[in-house]
Amino acid sequence: ADTTASSGTKTLPSSVSQKPVSWGVILVAVWVCGLVFGVFRLVQLQIQLTHLRKVSHPIPDLQRLATQIQNRLNVRLEIEVKISEAVSSPFVCGLLKPAIILPQTLAQSLSPDEMSALLSHEIAHLRQHDLFWCVVWRWMKAICWFHPLVWNVPAAHNLACEQEADRVAQGQLEDEDSYARL
């Protein structure tokens, strides 16, 4: 049943009137979209890391060296040391079962002292729980993606973590200046 105004134009029945969408609903929808995107990226990263750990190869000699360094640094976690052709830089991954993944070319080219320094650096990250805080910051970025500090603080935190790991690793070497050259 159409209702026609006296001017001859049609109007909608009062039961079909449109309510304006509130800014709150729009902002929540935008936030949820950003959150879903951030969580998707974190899940994708975890899948890639899981695959990388599966295809990486353990090296018993490096594992023994890492265990010696763990004892010196008083790190009680069980840490795997693996090499991979797919990475270009060493890193630590895995909160519950940590692993140090090394580039294959780097593992083959470093001297024993240099390898000790490298593993000391990576194990220092585990001693300081840097990986835990890195994961926390990644989740904070996914949840609070709209806040500028959430994007800037992790970079400053990562720099501080690297500097502390360098300090610990340098202290493990007889020739502390050699760490700076490495």
Side-chain angles (χ1 to χ4, degrees), residues 160-172:
C161 290
E162 288 300 323
Q163 290 172 339
E164 178 61 15
D166 284 341
R167 186 191 66 76
V168 170
Q170 186 175 13
Q172 297 299 304

Side-chain angles (χ1 to χ4, degrees), residues 76-145:
R76 299 288 176 229
L77 297 169
E78 185 177 324
I79 303 169
E80 289 183 298
V81 179
K82 294 185 166 193
I83 62 168
S84 172
E85 295 175 0
V87 298
S88 59
S89 179
F91 65 94
V92 177
C93 64
L95 282 177
L96 301 177
K97 293 181 179 180
I100 298 171
I101 310 291
L102 304 171
Q104 185 170 353
T105 56
L106 190 65
Q108 294 169 343
S109 66
L110 293 180
S111 70
D113 286 341
E114 291 171 331
M115 184 55 71
S116 178
L118 176 72
L119 289 174
S120 294
H121 176 95
E122 298 304 327
I123 293 169
H125 282 301
L126 292 169
R127 183 175 96 168
Q128 300 302 116
H129 308 288
D130 294 345
L131 187 57
F132 170 79
W133 290 110
C134 180
V135 170
V136 167
W137 276 114
R138 285 182 184 270
W139 278 98
M140 286 298 296
K141 283 171 71 172
I143 294 168
C144 301
W145 58 267

Side-chain angles (χ1 to χ4, degrees), residues 168-180:
V168 170
Q170 186 175 13
Q172 297 299 304
L173 297 175
E174 291 178 19
D175 178 15
E176 291 185 4
D177 291 334
S178 68
Y179 186 78

Side-chain angles (χ1 to χ4, degrees), residues 8 12 16 24 73 97 111 125 152:
L12 292 175
V16 185
L73 295 178
K97 293 181 179 180
S111 70
H125 282 301
N152 294 331

